[in-house]
Amino acid sequence: MIDILLDENKDLTINNGDIKIGESINQEVELIFLVAPGQLREDGFIGVDIINELLNENVYVRPLIKKMLKRDNKELKSFNILNNNILIEAIDV
């Protein structure tokens, strides 16, 4: 999906005074992982709150991730945690 792009601080990316747009699936998936349900006005039910889920050792985190991505018309292709890094691959459907 093409949308506005955010930088690593989740601020708008500005290029020569214009808001930068481009492929946004990676940032969309990242935001779904980071926000908790109720934090997005657009869809109050979407959000994984991944940090709390992993800290609480939620064994149901993978089905939760799939469910939240499906709410945003995405499909989870892979999800792995390696060396304290979360690796995610998702596609638009």
Side-chain angles (χ1 to χ4, degrees):
M1 172 181 272
I2 303 298
D3 204 346
I4 59 172
L5 297 178
L6 305 176
D7 64 17
E8 60 276 351
N9 297 318
K10 309 301 176 265
D11 291 324
L12 290 175
T13 302
I14 307 292
N15 190 7
N16 295 325
D18 294 324
I19 296 172
K20 190 172 180 182
I21 62 170
E23 181 56 52
S24 61
I25 188 168
N26 291 337
Q27 78 181 19
E28 292 170 18
V29 171
E30 180 182 9
L31 291 172
I32 290 170
F33 270 61
L34 292 175
V35 300
Q39 288 185 313
L40 293 179
R41 181 180 278 173
E42 180 180 305
D43 184 343
F45 295 103
I46 201 165
V48 174
D49 195 12
I50 192 70
I51 294 169
N52 283 327
E53 294 296 336
L54 293 176
L55 287 175
N56 293 326
E57 298 179 8
N58 183 350
V59 295
Y60 301 106
V61 73
R62 185 179 294 270
L64 176 63
I65 290 167
K66 285 183 175 184
K67 180 180 176 183
M68 291 301 124
L69 290 174
K70 185 176 181 182
R71 285 187 69 85
D72 199 44
N73 299 315
K74 291 175 182 42
E75 180 182 328
L76 181 67
K77 294 308 243 179
S78 66
F79 171 74
N80 294 298
I81 301 173
L82 299 170
N83 301 324
N84 292 327
N85 290 309
I86 300 172
L87 307 172
I88 308 149
E89 182 184 0
I91 60 170
D92 282 319
V93 290

